[in-house]
Amino acid sequence: MSNIEQLPTTKLQHQDANAHLHPFADYRLKQQQISQIIVKGDGVYVWDSEGHCMIDAMAGLWCTNVGYGRKSIADAVHKQMLQLSFYNTFFHTTHLPAIELATKLVEISPAQFNHVFFVGSGSEGNDTIVRLVRHYWNQKEQPGRQIIISRQNAYHGSTMAGASLGGWPSMHKQGGLPIPGIVHIGQPSYLEGGQGKSVEEFGLEAASWLENKIRELGPENVAAFIGEPVQGAGGVIVPPSTYWPEIQRICDKYGILLVADEVICGFGRLGTWFGCEALGFRPDLITFAKGVTSGYVPLGGVLVADRIVDTLAETGGEFNHGFTYSGHPIGCVAALENIRILEQENILNQVKNETGPYFQQKLTALNAHPLVGNSGGIGFLGGFNLYKHKGSTVHDHIPFSTSDNAGNLARANILASGVIVRLMPGDRLLMSPPLTLTRKEIDDTFNKITQGLDKTYEQLKQNARERTVV
Ligand SMILES: Cc1ncc(COP(=O)(O)O)c(C=O)c1O
C-alpha cells in the first residue's frame, strides 16, 4: 500500500500538478499547485486534506443524489466484484445485473419507454443519441432527416458529438466543432431574452425559435430536437412553464424526435424520476447518467421509446454501436442499490413536496441580500446572481464588472464558511445538493452562504472605497 494518505497537502498538490491534467482546467495555473484535495465524504459532507468539513451543495458534480458513504452500495459492488467483475453485453450476451437494471429502469420511466441502451457516461449517451436517431430515420427511409437541433449554452458532454450538441463556443473552438448536422437555437433564458414580456409569453416565444428553425431547414431534413429539461451547467435555467409543452407540440407537428438530456435532472433531482415528468413533456429518448448510480460508479444509458425500437426491430440490420462498458455489472448493481435507496427512503416525494420546496423558499429569500438577485430554481437545483446595484426587476439589475472579481470572492468566502457552490461566468452561483439534505442542513447551508455573502459585500465595498481614494 502507498503512504499517500500521510503526505502533507503541499506535497500532494505538487505531485498532482506534476502528473495530472484536470478536465476543464487552465494548465498555466498548474504551476501554482492550488488544487483542493477531497479525501472523504459522508452524507452531504465532504472533507479536504486539511480537515475542513464542507456541505457539498454541488453533490460532487450534480450526481451524488443519495449522499456519500452508503455502505449498502459498497456492499453490493463488493459482492458483484467477487461474483462476476466484468462481462460484456455485446451481440447477444448479457448478465444478471444488466437484466435486472434494465427491467427496473423500464418500470420507473415514463410509459413510452420499454427499452434501455447502456453506456458509461452522459457524453457517451449523447453520442449514442446522435447515431441512434440518424440510424432510425435511415431505417424509416427518410435518410434526409439528419439534422439535430440543440440550444446555445446547452451542455451535453465532452465527446465530439456531446460537445457539438452542447452550445458552448469555448468548446466549439477546440477540435473543429460542431460536427456536421448539428445546429443551435436560443435558450429559454428569461433573464437574457424576456425583457418587457411576461414569463409565459417569453416561453412561447423561445419555443417558436424551434419552429422557425425547422421551417428554415425544412422538416424533411430534421431528425430531432435535444434539450436538458432544466439547463444545468449552463446556469440552472428553468424554462417558463409554457416552454416544454409548446416544444412538444412543435416536435409532434413536424414528426421530429424529442430528446431529453436528463443527465442532471434524472433520478429525483426535480422530485420525479425524470425531469420531463416535472416539466410536462413526453420525450422519445432520454439520456441519463450521474444520479443513476449517485456517482458511486460510472454508468449511463439511453431510454428508447417504443416507436423507435419497433421500427428498428421491424426493419432489422445491426446497430453498429456500443461500448466495452455498456451495462458494466458493477455499475448496474450500484444503480440498482441507489434506486432502491431512493425508493425506500421516499426521497423523490421529499424533494417534490417537502425539502425541495423548503430549499427553494430559502433560495428565493436570498434575493433579500444586497448582493443577490435572480435566485431560484426547481427541486434541488438552483442558482443566484450577484449584482452591483439592484433595480425593480431582474432586467434592471446592474452586474459587476469582471475586474470587481465578485463571483470569485463570493465563491471563496462561501467555501470558507463551509459550503461548496459552483461559479459560472457572469457572477452566477449554482447549487445542486444531495437529495438527502434535511431541513436542518438546508438552514445550515443557507446560513453559511449568507455569512460568505456578507463578507463578500464588505470586501467589495472596501475595494470600491480604496479605488475611489486612489
Ligand atoms: C446535461 C448533461 N449532459 C451530459 C453530460 C455529460 O456527462 P458525462 O460528464 O458523464 O459525460 C453532463 C455533464 O455534466 C450534463 O450535465
Side-chain angles (χ1 to χ4, degrees):
M1 285 289 281
S2 85
N3 68 344
I4 191 157
E5 282 170 23
Q6 271 95 59
L7 296 180
T9 297
T10 46
K11 183 109 184 78
L12 289 167
Q13 285 171 325
H14 177 72
Q15 223 171 291
D16 185 72
N18 274 348
H20 184 184
L21 294 176
H22 294 223
F24 287 95
D26 180 344
Y27 298 138
R28 237 182 342 192
L29 298 177
K30 244 167 72 61
Q31 320 307 336
Q32 296 174 21
Q33 302 174 6
I34 47 171
S35 289
Q36 186 181 27
I37 301 162
I38 305 296
V39 296
K40 182 181 146 165
D42 187 17
V44 302
Y45 299 97
V46 291
W47 284 259
D48 71 11
S49 52
E50 294 289 275
H52 299 127
C53 172
M54 296 154 285
I55 295 174
D56 182 9
M58 275 309 296
L61 201 54
W62 323 84
C63 56
T64 317
N65 289 13
V66 300
Y68 295 92
R70 293 281 188 167
K71 185 171 180 308
S72 64
I73 298 182
D75 287 346
V77 162
H78 181 246
K79 191 167 158 219
Q80 184 60 40
M81 281 189 167
L82 296 177
Q83 174 69 30
L84 178 70
S85 54
F86 173 73
Y87 209 79
N88 74 79
T89 57
F90 274 37
F91 316 119
H92 293 282
T93 309
T94 190
H95 48 68
L96 303 184
I99 297 171
E100 199 178 350
L101 181 60
T103 308
K104 186 70 197 175
L105 290 168
V106 164
E107 179 198 315
I108 63 173
S109 60
Q112 67 272 30
F113 295 109
N114 285 299
H115 294 85
V116 60
F117 187 101
F118 288 120
V119 300
S121 68
S123 302
E124 286 179 7
N126 286 326
D127 276 47
T128 302
I129 294 276
V130 171
R131 302 203 63 210
L132 192 56
V133 300
R134 290 179 173 169
H135 176 54
Y136 166 79
W137 286 115
N138 278 336
Q139 296 300 96
K140 289 277 282 183
E141 296 185 353
Q142 297 184 50
R145 285 195 185 257
Q146 293 292 300
I147 301 174
I148 300 171
I149 303 177
S150 183
R151 300 179 298 185
Q152 289 147 13
N153 194 36
Y155 187 76
H156 295 295
S158 249
T159 48
M160 296 295 274
S164 297
L165 291 170
W168 291 15
S170 57
M171 293 182 81
H172 290 174
K173 253 197 252 163
Q174 296 168 345
L177 304 180
I179 57 172
I182 293 175
V183 300
H184 299 82
I185 58 170
Q187 57 177 342
S189 162
Y190 183 67
L191 181 66
E192 198 177 81
Q195 188 148 23
K197 294 156 206 155
S198 75
V199 177
E200 292 74 22
E201 275 166 7
F202 172 69
L204 294 176
E205 180 186 315
S208 76
W209 301 332
L210 175 61
E211 186 152 24
N212 297 345
K213 184 56 86 180
I214 293 169
R215 288 205 182 123
E216 177 193 320
L217 297 166
E220 68 284 3
N221 297 316
V222 181
F225 173 72
I226 184 168
E228 302 153 78
V230 174
Q231 278 160 269
V236 182
I237 297 164
V238 183
S241 62
T242 45
Y243 181 76
W244 277 113
E246 182 63 4
I247 290 282
Q248 172 87 67
R249 187 194 67 74
I250 295 165
C251 287
D252 290 348
K253 178 174 167 190
Y254 295 98
I256 285 160
L257 296 174
L258 178 50
V259 185
D261 181 343
E262 299 265 7
V263 169
I264 286 179
C265 296
F267 297 91
R269 186 142 300 282
L270 309 190
T272 45
W273 284 115
F274 296 97
C276 57
E277 297 164 294
L279 299 184
F281 67 105
R282 196 174 173 279
D284 299 295
L285 293 139
I286 283 179
T287 319
F288 65 87
K290 295 191 189 270
V292 65
T293 60
S294 282
Y296 277 72
V297 183
L299 181 96
V302 174
L303 285 159
V304 187
D306 292 346
R307 73 187 259 210
I308 299 172
V309 177
D310 292 349
T311 298
L312 299 182
E314 275 160 27
T315 53
E318 213 167 271
F319 180 41
N320 297 308
H321 179 82
F323 304 96
T324 299
Y325 300 134
S326 285
H328 194 296
I330 307 304
C332 289
V333 295
L336 281 162
E337 180 55 20
N338 177 61
I339 293 169
R340 194 195 64 75
I341 292 170
L342 287 167
E343 283 179 326
Q344 195 201 16
E345 297 182 10
N346 202 18
I347 290 174
L348 271 56
N349 189 38
Q350 279 167 37
V351 172
K352 186 171 181 189
N353 298 312
E354 220 267 308
T355 47
Y358 187 60
F359 176 79
Q360 292 300 332
Q361 189 186 317
K362 299 292 272 189
L363 185 58
T364 308
L366 264 194
N367 269 324
H369 194 279
L371 282 179
V372 175
N374 191 36
S375 72
I378 177 172
F380 263 11
L381 267 184
F384 57 92
N385 291 55
L386 306 177
Y387 291 104
K388 194 166 192 161
H389 296 292
K390 290 203 279 177
S392 50
T393 74
V394 282
H395 295 116
D396 305 320
H397 296 346
I398 298 171
F400 285 98
S401 54
T402 320
S403 59
D404 290 318
N405 204 24
N408 277 317
L409 275 178
R411 201 195 74 89
N413 286 327
I414 292 170
L415 186 65
S417 302
V419 178
I420 299 176
V421 293
R422 174 155 162 180
L423 172 65
M424 58 167 296
D427 297 328
R428 184 156 170 81
L429 294 150
L430 309 180
M431 299 174 76
S432 166
L435 308 183
T436 51
L437 203 69
T438 61
R439 270 183 171 250
K440 193 168 161 301
E441 288 163 345
I442 292 172
D443 286 340
D444 199 21
T445 302
F446 282 96
N447 288 340
K448 289 183 153 93
I449 288 177
T450 305
Q451 268 173 32
L453 289 171
D454 288 346
K455 184 161 179 211
T456 309
Y457 187 54
E458 290 311 317
Q459 283 172 336
L460 287 166
K461 276 203 302 199
Q462 178 64 26
N463 294 348
R465 272 195 297 269
E466 281 168 14
R467 272 203 298 266
T468 318
V469 172
V470 172

PDB file of all heavy atoms in Angstrom, residues 306-337:
ATOM      1  N   ASP A 306     -40.845   3.161 -27.568  1.00  0.00           N
ATOM      2  CA  ASP A 306     -41.306   2.016 -28.359  1.00  0.00           C
ATOM      3  C   ASP A 306     -41.324   2.314 -29.855  1.00  0.00           C
ATOM      4  O   ASP A 306     -41.008   1.452 -30.661  1.00  0.00           O
ATOM      5  CB  ASP A 306     -42.719   1.612 -27.901  1.00  0.00           C
ATOM      6  CG  ASP A 306     -42.688   1.044 -26.486  1.00  0.00           C
ATOM      7  OD1 ASP A 306     -41.581   0.722 -26.002  1.00  0.00           O
ATOM      8  OD2 ASP A 306     -43.759   0.949 -25.861  1.00  0.00           O
ATOM      9  N   ARG A 307     -41.723   3.569 -30.220  1.00  0.00           N
ATOM     10  CA  ARG A 307     -41.841   3.831 -31.661  1.00  0.00           C
ATOM     11  C   ARG A 307     -40.503   3.649 -32.374  1.00  0.00           C
ATOM     12  O   ARG A 307     -40.450   3.238 -33.536  1.00  0.00           O
ATOM     13  CB  ARG A 307     -42.449   5.220 -31.932  1.00  0.00           C
ATOM     14  CG  ARG A 307     -41.538   6.398 -31.665  1.00  0.00           C
ATOM     15  CD  ARG A 307     -42.270   7.735 -31.794  1.00  0.00           C
ATOM     16  NE  ARG A 307     -42.003   8.400 -33.050  1.00  0.00           N
ATOM     17  CZ  ARG A 307     -42.006   9.729 -33.199  1.00  0.00           C
ATOM     18  NH1 ARG A 307     -42.291  10.515 -32.165  1.00  0.00           N
ATOM     19  NH2 ARG A 307     -41.758  10.275 -34.344  1.00  0.00           N
ATOM     20  N   ILE A 308     -39.415   3.933 -31.678  1.00  0.00           N
ATOM     21  CA  ILE A 308     -38.083   3.772 -32.291  1.00  0.00           C
ATOM     22  C   ILE A 308     -37.675   2.304 -32.276  1.00  0.00           C
ATOM     23  O   ILE A 308     -37.256   1.747 -33.299  1.00  0.00           O
ATOM     24  CB  ILE A 308     -37.044   4.634 -31.542  1.00  0.00           C
ATOM     25  CG1 ILE A 308     -37.454   6.103 -31.632  1.00  0.00           C
ATOM     26  CG2 ILE A 308     -35.642   4.408 -32.086  1.00  0.00           C
ATOM     27  CD1 ILE A 308     -36.631   7.048 -30.784  1.00  0.00           C
ATOM     28  N   VAL A 309     -37.849   1.675 -31.119  1.00  0.00           N
ATOM     29  CA  VAL A 309     -37.450   0.264 -31.002  1.00  0.00           C
ATOM     30  C   VAL A 309     -38.251  -0.582 -32.005  1.00  0.00           C
ATOM     31  O   VAL A 309     -37.695  -1.455 -32.683  1.00  0.00           O
ATOM     32  CB  VAL A 309     -37.678  -0.255 -29.561  1.00  0.00           C
ATOM     33  CG1 VAL A 309     -37.341  -1.735 -29.456  1.00  0.00           C
ATOM     34  CG2 VAL A 309     -36.838   0.545 -28.572  1.00  0.00           C
ATOM     35  N   ASP A 310     -39.546  -0.296 -32.114  1.00  0.00           N
ATOM     36  CA  ASP A 310     -40.391  -1.088 -33.025  1.00  0.00           C
ATOM     37  C   ASP A 310     -39.892  -0.968 -34.461  1.00  0.00           C
ATOM     38  O   ASP A 310     -39.795  -1.968 -35.187  1.00  0.00           O
ATOM     39  CB  ASP A 310     -41.856  -0.636 -32.941  1.00  0.00           C
ATOM     40  CG  ASP A 310     -42.466  -0.999 -31.578  1.00  0.00           C
ATOM     41  OD1 ASP A 310     -41.817  -1.765 -30.830  1.00  0.00           O
ATOM     42  OD2 ASP A 310     -43.566  -0.502 -31.265  1.00  0.00           O
ATOM     43  N   THR A 311     -39.557   0.256 -34.868  1.00  0.00           N
ATOM     44  CA  THR A 311     -39.048   0.453 -36.235  1.00  0.00           C
ATOM     45  C   THR A 311     -37.759  -0.328 -36.448  1.00  0.00           C
ATOM     46  O   THR A 311     -37.592  -1.019 -37.467  1.00  0.00           O
ATOM     47  CB  THR A 311     -38.790   1.960 -36.501  1.00  0.00           C
ATOM     48  OG1 THR A 311     -40.022   2.629 -36.384  1.00  0.00           O
ATOM     49  CG2 THR A 311     -38.191   2.208 -37.861  1.00  0.00           C
ATOM     50  N   LEU A 312     -36.844  -0.219 -35.490  1.00  0.00           N
ATOM     51  CA  LEU A 312     -35.552  -0.900 -35.655  1.00  0.00           C
ATOM     52  C   LEU A 312     -35.736  -2.411 -35.635  1.00  0.00           C
ATOM     53  O   LEU A 312     -35.065  -3.138 -36.381  1.00  0.00           O
ATOM     54  CB  LEU A 312     -34.568  -0.460 -34.567  1.00  0.00           C
ATOM     55  CG  LEU A 312     -34.233   1.041 -34.557  1.00  0.00           C
ATOM     56  CD1 LEU A 312     -33.216   1.377 -33.472  1.00  0.00           C
ATOM     57  CD2 LEU A 312     -33.717   1.521 -35.918  1.00  0.00           C
ATOM     58  N   ALA A 313     -36.660  -2.869 -34.824  1.00  0.00           N
ATOM     59  CA  ALA A 313     -36.903  -4.318 -34.758  1.00  0.00           C
ATOM     60  C   ALA A 313     -37.553  -4.810 -36.059  1.00  0.00           C
ATOM     61  O   ALA A 313     -37.240  -5.904 -36.536  1.00  0.00           O
ATOM     62  CB  ALA A 313     -37.781  -4.645 -33.560  1.00  0.00           C
ATOM     63  N   GLU A 314     -38.446  -3.999 -36.619  1.00  0.00           N
ATOM     64  CA  GLU A 314     -39.117  -4.416 -37.865  1.00  0.00           C
ATOM     65  C   GLU A 314     -38.177  -4.398 -39.057  1.00  0.00           C
ATOM     66  O   GLU A 314     -38.191  -5.297 -39.889  1.00  0.00           O
ATOM     67  CB  GLU A 314     -40.274  -3.451 -38.180  1.00  0.00           C
ATOM     68  CG  GLU A 314     -41.572  -3.806 -37.476  1.00  0.00           C
ATOM     69  CD  GLU A 314     -42.495  -2.591 -37.420  1.00  0.00           C
ATOM     70  OE1 GLU A 314     -42.391  -1.702 -38.300  1.00  0.00           O
ATOM     71  OE2 GLU A 314     -43.289  -2.519 -36.470  1.00  0.00           O
ATOM     72  N   THR A 315     -37.344  -3.334 -39.123  1.00  0.00           N
ATOM     73  CA  THR A 315     -36.526  -3.181 -40.329  1.00  0.00           C
ATOM     74  C   THR A 315     -35.248  -4.010 -40.262  1.00  0.00           C
ATOM     75  O   THR A 315     -34.657  -4.332 -41.301  1.00  0.00           O
ATOM     76  CB  THR A 315     -36.151  -1.696 -40.553  1.00  0.00           C
ATOM     77  OG1 THR A 315     -35.571  -1.200 -39.362  1.00  0.00           O
ATOM     78  CG2 THR A 315     -37.370  -0.868 -40.907  1.00  0.00           C
ATOM     79  N   GLY A 316     -34.796  -4.348 -39.044  1.00  0.00           N
ATOM     80  CA  GLY A 316     -33.629  -5.212 -38.887  1.00  0.00           C
ATOM     81  C   GLY A 316     -32.322  -4.523 -39.247  1.00  0.00           C
ATOM     82  O   GLY A 316     -32.290  -3.323 -39.526  1.00  0.00           O
ATOM     83  N   GLY A 317     -31.235  -5.288 -39.269  1.00  0.00           N
ATOM     84  CA  GLY A 317     -29.902  -4.719 -39.515  1.00  0.00           C
ATOM     85  C   GLY A 317     -29.274  -4.317 -38.198  1.00  0.00           C
ATOM     86  O   GLY A 317     -29.958  -3.842 -37.301  1.00  0.00           O
ATOM     87  N   GLU A 318     -27.954  -4.561 -38.125  1.00  0.00           N
ATOM     88  CA  GLU A 318     -27.274  -4.332 -36.852  1.00  0.00           C
ATOM     89  C   GLU A 318     -27.111  -2.846 -36.553  1.00  0.00           C
ATOM     90  O   GLU A 318     -26.829  -2.064 -37.469  1.00  0.00           O
ATOM     91  CB  GLU A 318     -25.887  -4.973 -36.948  1.00  0.00           C
ATOM     92  CG  GLU A 318     -25.379  -5.524 -35.653  1.00  0.00           C
ATOM     93  CD  GLU A 318     -24.159  -6.403 -35.882  1.00  0.00           C
ATOM     94  OE1 GLU A 318     -24.314  -7.619 -36.117  1.00  0.00           O
ATOM     95  OE2 GLU A 318     -23.046  -5.854 -35.840  1.00  0.00           O
ATOM     96  N   PHE A 319     -27.264  -2.442 -35.299  1.00  0.00           N
ATOM     97  CA  PHE A 319     -26.892  -1.091 -34.861  1.00  0.00           C
ATOM     98  C   PHE A 319     -25.424  -1.201 -34.451  1.00  0.00           C
ATOM     99  O   PHE A 319     -25.101  -1.805 -33.432  1.00  0.00           O
ATOM    100  CB  PHE A 319     -27.778  -0.651 -33.692  1.00  0.00           C
ATOM    101  CG  PHE A 319     -27.474   0.733 -33.178  1.00  0.00           C
ATOM    102  CD1 PHE A 319     -27.195   1.791 -34.045  1.00  0.00           C
ATOM    103  CD2 PHE A 319     -27.485   1.004 -31.808  1.00  0.00           C
ATOM    104  CE1 PHE A 319     -26.921   3.077 -33.567  1.00  0.00           C
ATOM    105  CE2 PHE A 319     -27.215   2.288 -31.321  1.00  0.00           C
ATOM    106  CZ  PHE A 319     -26.937   3.315 -32.205  1.00  0.00           C
ATOM    107  N   ASN A 320     -24.551  -0.651 -35.285  1.00  0.00           N
ATOM    108  CA  ASN A 320     -23.108  -0.868 -35.106  1.00  0.00           C
ATOM    109  C   ASN A 320     -22.543   0.128 -34.105  1.00  0.00           C
ATOM    110  O   ASN A 320     -21.816   1.055 -34.458  1.00  0.00           O
ATOM    111  CB  ASN A 320     -22.393  -0.746 -36.450  1.00  0.00           C
ATOM    112  CG  ASN A 320     -22.880  -1.822 -37.402  1.00  0.00           C
ATOM    113  OD1 ASN A 320     -22.872  -3.006 -37.053  1.00  0.00           O
ATOM    114  ND2 ASN A 320     -23.364  -1.426 -38.563  1.00  0.00           N
ATOM    115  N   HIS A 321     -22.877  -0.061 -32.872  1.00  0.00           N
ATOM    116  CA  HIS A 321     -22.534   0.925 -31.844  1.00  0.00           C
ATOM    117  C   HIS A 321     -22.538   0.252 -30.482  1.00  0.00           C
ATOM    118  O   HIS A 321     -23.400  -0.586 -30.217  1.00  0.00           O
ATOM    119  CB  HIS A 321     -23.582   2.052 -31.880  1.00  0.00           C
ATOM    120  CG  HIS A 321     -23.372   3.122 -30.858  1.00  0.00           C
ATOM    121  ND1 HIS A 321     -22.492   4.158 -31.047  1.00  0.00           N
ATOM    122  CD2 HIS A 321     -23.934   3.319 -29.641  1.00  0.00           C
ATOM    123  CE1 HIS A 321     -22.520   4.957 -29.986  1.00  0.00           C
ATOM    124  NE2 HIS A 321     -23.379   4.470 -29.118  1.00  0.00           N
ATOM    125  N   GLY A 322     -21.621   0.622 -29.617  1.00  0.00           N
ATOM    126  CA  GLY A 322     -21.612   0.077 -28.258  1.00  0.00           C
ATOM    127  C   GLY A 322     -20.268   0.312 -27.615  1.00  0.00           C
ATOM    128  O   GLY A 322     -19.292   0.674 -28.282  1.00  0.00           O
ATOM    129  N   PHE A 323     -20.232   0.152 -26.313  1.00  0.00           N
ATOM    130  CA  PHE A 323     -19.005   0.404 -25.560  1.00  0.00           C
ATOM    131  C   PHE A 323     -18.662  -0.836 -24.738  1.00  0.00           C
ATOM    132  O   PHE A 323     -19.565  -1.528 -24.250  1.00  0.00           O
ATOM    133  CB  PHE A 323     -19.196   1.596 -24.628  1.00  0.00           C
ATOM    134  CG  PHE A 323     -19.630   2.847 -25.373  1.00  0.00           C
ATOM    135  CD1 PHE A 323     -20.969   3.193 -25.468  1.00  0.00           C
ATOM    136  CD2 PHE A 323     -18.692   3.637 -26.019  1.00  0.00           C
ATOM    137  CE1 PHE A 323     -21.365   4.321 -26.173  1.00  0.00           C
ATOM    138  CE2 PHE A 323     -19.079   4.773 -26.729  1.00  0.00           C
ATOM    139  CZ  PHE A 323     -20.420   5.114 -26.809  1.00  0.00           C
ATOM    140  N   THR A 324     -17.370  -1.081 -24.567  1.00  0.00           N
ATOM    141  CA  THR A 324     -16.946  -2.223 -23.747  1.00  0.00           C
ATOM    142  C   THR A 324     -17.728  -2.239 -22.428  1.00  0.00           C
ATOM    143  O   THR A 324     -18.184  -3.276 -21.970  1.00  0.00           O
ATOM    144  CB  THR A 324     -15.429  -2.112 -23.446  1.00  0.00           C
ATOM    145  OG1 THR A 324     -14.732  -2.139 -24.689  1.00  0.00           O
ATOM    146  CG2 THR A 324     -14.948  -3.246 -22.558  1.00  0.00           C
ATOM    147  N   TYR A 325     -17.889  -1.043 -21.860  1.00  0.00           N
ATOM    148  CA  TYR A 325     -18.512  -0.986 -20.535  1.00  0.00           C
ATOM    149  C   TYR A 325     -20.012  -0.692 -20.577  1.00  0.00           C
ATOM    150  O   TYR A 325     -20.595  -0.282 -19.561  1.00  0.00           O
ATOM    151  CB  TYR A 325     -17.761   0.022 -19.653  1.00  0.00           C
ATOM    152  CG  TYR A 325     -16.308  -0.354 -19.472  1.00  0.00           C
ATOM    153  CD1 TYR A 325     -15.286   0.576 -19.612  1.00  0.00           C
ATOM    154  CD2 TYR A 325     -15.958  -1.677 -19.190  1.00  0.00           C
ATOM    155  CE1 TYR A 325     -13.953   0.205 -19.471  1.00  0.00           C
ATOM    156  CE2 TYR A 325     -14.635  -2.056 -19.053  1.00  0.00           C
ATOM    157  CZ  TYR A 325     -13.631  -1.117 -19.202  1.00  0.00           C
ATOM    158  OH  TYR A 325     -12.324  -1.496 -19.063  1.00  0.00           O
ATOM    159  N   SER A 326     -20.645  -0.888 -21.742  1.00  0.00           N
ATOM    160  CA  SER A 326     -22.118  -0.776 -21.799  1.00  0.00           C
ATOM    161  C   SER A 326     -22.716  -1.810 -20.858  1.00  0.00           C
ATOM    162  O   SER A 326     -22.527  -3.020 -21.053  1.00  0.00           O
ATOM    163  CB  SER A 326     -22.614  -1.075 -23.221  1.00  0.00           C
ATOM    164  OG  SER A 326     -22.363  -0.006 -24.098  1.00  0.00           O
ATOM    165  N   GLY A 327     -23.408  -1.352 -19.833  1.00  0.00           N
ATOM    166  CA  GLY A 327     -24.038  -2.285 -18.893  1.00  0.00           C
ATOM    167  C   GLY A 327     -23.027  -2.992 -18.010  1.00  0.00           C
ATOM    168  O   GLY A 327     -23.204  -4.168 -17.665  1.00  0.00           O
ATOM    169  N   HIS A 328     -21.968  -2.292 -17.622  1.00  0.00           N
ATOM    170  CA  HIS A 328     -20.956  -2.915 -16.738  1.00  0.00           C
ATOM    171  C   HIS A 328     -21.663  -3.445 -15.484  1.00  0.00           C
ATOM    172  O   HIS A 328     -22.430  -2.714 -14.839  1.00  0.00           O
ATOM    173  CB  HIS A 328     -19.910  -1.864 -16.357  1.00  0.00           C
ATOM    174  CG  HIS A 328     -18.680  -2.462 -15.758  1.00  0.00           C
ATOM    175  ND1 HIS A 328     -18.681  -3.142 -14.562  1.00  0.00           N
ATOM    176  CD2 HIS A 328     -17.403  -2.498 -16.207  1.00  0.00           C
ATOM    177  CE1 HIS A 328     -17.460  -3.569 -14.296  1.00  0.00           C
ATOM    178  NE2 HIS A 328     -16.665  -3.193 -15.288  1.00  0.00           N
ATOM    179  N   PRO A 329     -21.383  -4.700 -15.112  1.00  0.00           N
ATOM    180  CA  PRO A 329     -22.135  -5.277 -13.981  1.00  0.00           C
ATOM    181  C   PRO A 329     -21.968  -4.507 -12.671  1.00  0.00           C
ATOM    182  O   PRO A 329     -22.910  -4.434 -11.870  1.00  0.00           O
ATOM    183  CB  PRO A 329     -21.574  -6.706 -13.853  1.00  0.00           C
ATOM    184  CG  PRO A 329     -20.374  -6.765 -14.720  1.00  0.00           C
ATOM    185  CD  PRO A 329     -20.483  -5.678 -15.738  1.00  0.00           C
ATOM    186  N   ILE A 330     -20.798  -3.903 -12.471  1.00  0.00           N
ATOM    187  CA  ILE A 330     -20.583  -3.166 -11.208  1.00  0.00           C
ATOM    188  C   ILE A 330     -21.443  -1.900 -11.200  1.00  0.00           C
ATOM    189  O   ILE A 330     -22.067  -1.555 -10.189  1.00  0.00           O
ATOM    190  CB  ILE A 330     -19.086  -2.807 -11.019  1.00  0.00           C
ATOM    191  CG1 ILE A 330     -18.207  -4.064 -11.150  1.00  0.00           C
ATOM    192  CG2 ILE A 330     -18.852  -2.095  -9.691  1.00  0.00           C
ATOM    193  CD1 ILE A 330     -18.559  -5.195 -10.214  1.00  0.00           C
ATOM    194  N   GLY A 331     -21.485  -1.202 -12.348  1.00  0.00           N
ATOM    195  CA  GLY A 331     -22.347  -0.024 -12.459  1.00  0.00           C
ATOM    196  C   GLY A 331     -23.806  -0.398 -12.263  1.00  0.00           C
ATOM    197  O   GLY A 331     -24.574   0.318 -11.609  1.00  0.00           O
ATOM    198  N   CYS A 332     -24.200  -1.530 -12.840  1.00  0.00           N
ATOM    199  CA  CYS A 332     -25.612  -1.944 -12.742  1.00  0.00           C
ATOM    200  C   CYS A 332     -26.016  -2.234 -11.299  1.00  0.00           C
ATOM    201  O   CYS A 332     -27.092  -1.812 -10.863  1.00  0.00           O
ATOM    202  CB  CYS A 332     -25.868  -3.174 -13.608  1.00  0.00           C
ATOM    203  SG  CYS A 332     -25.817  -2.835 -15.370  1.00  0.00           S
ATOM    204  N   VAL A 333     -25.168  -2.924 -10.546  1.00  0.00           N
ATOM    205  CA  VAL A 333     -25.579  -3.219  -9.156  1.00  0.00           C
ATOM    206  C   VAL A 333     -25.572  -1.952  -8.307  1.00  0.00           C
ATOM    207  O   VAL A 333     -26.424  -1.780  -7.427  1.00  0.00           O
ATOM    208  CB  VAL A 333     -24.767  -4.354  -8.484  1.00  0.00           C
ATOM    209  CG1 VAL A 333     -24.994  -5.683  -9.168  1.00  0.00           C
ATOM    210  CG2 VAL A 333     -23.284  -4.020  -8.381  1.00  0.00           C
ATOM    211  N   ALA A 334     -24.623  -1.040  -8.609  1.00  0.00           N
ATOM    212  CA  ALA A 334     -24.618   0.232  -7.868  1.00  0.00           C
ATOM    213  C   ALA A 334     -25.912   0.994  -8.164  1.00  0.00           C
ATOM    214  O   ALA A 334     -26.537   1.563  -7.261  1.00  0.00           O
ATOM    215  CB  ALA A 334     -23.401   1.071  -8.259  1.00  0.00           C
ATOM    216  N   ALA A 335     -26.330   0.990  -9.429  1.00  0.00           N
ATOM    217  CA  ALA A 335     -27.561   1.691  -9.813  1.00  0.00           C
ATOM    218  C   ALA A 335     -28.775   1.053  -9.136  1.00  0.00           C
ATOM    219  O   ALA A 335     -29.653   1.760  -8.621  1.00  0.00           O
ATOM    220  CB  ALA A 335     -27.731   1.670 -11.329  1.00  0.00           C
ATOM    221  N   LEU A 336     -28.811  -0.262  -9.117  1.00  0.00           N
ATOM    222  CA  LEU A 336     -29.959  -0.942  -8.506  1.00  0.00           C
ATOM    223  C   LEU A 336     -30.075  -0.588  -7.026  1.00  0.00           C
ATOM    224  O   LEU A 336     -31.169  -0.316  -6.519  1.00  0.00           O
ATOM    225  CB  LEU A 336     -29.823  -2.452  -8.686  1.00  0.00           C
ATOM    226  CG  LEU A 336     -30.216  -2.957 -10.081  1.00  0.00           C
ATOM    227  CD1 LEU A 336     -29.644  -4.348 -10.344  1.00  0.00           C
ATOM    228  CD2 LEU A 336     -31.740  -2.957 -10.251  1.00  0.00           C
ATOM    229  N   GLU A 337     -28.950  -0.576  -6.339  1.00  0.00           N
ATOM    230  CA  GLU A 337     -28.995  -0.267  -4.910  1.00  0.00           C
ATOM    231  C   GLU A 337     -29.326   1.214  -4.694  1.00  0.00           C
ATOM    232  O   GLU A 337     -30.083   1.574  -3.785  1.00  0.00           O
ATOM    233  CB  GLU A 337     -27.661  -0.655  -4.249  1.00  0.00           C
ATOM    234  CG  GLU A 337     -27.590  -0.391  -2.758  1.00  0.00           C
ATOM    235  CD  GLU A 337     -28.727  -1.040  -1.939  1.00  0.00           C
ATOM    236  OE1 GLU A 337     -29.373  -1.993  -2.399  1.00  0.00           O
ATOM    237  OE2 GLU A 337     -28.966  -0.544  -0.805  1.00  0.00           O
TER     238      GLU A 337
END
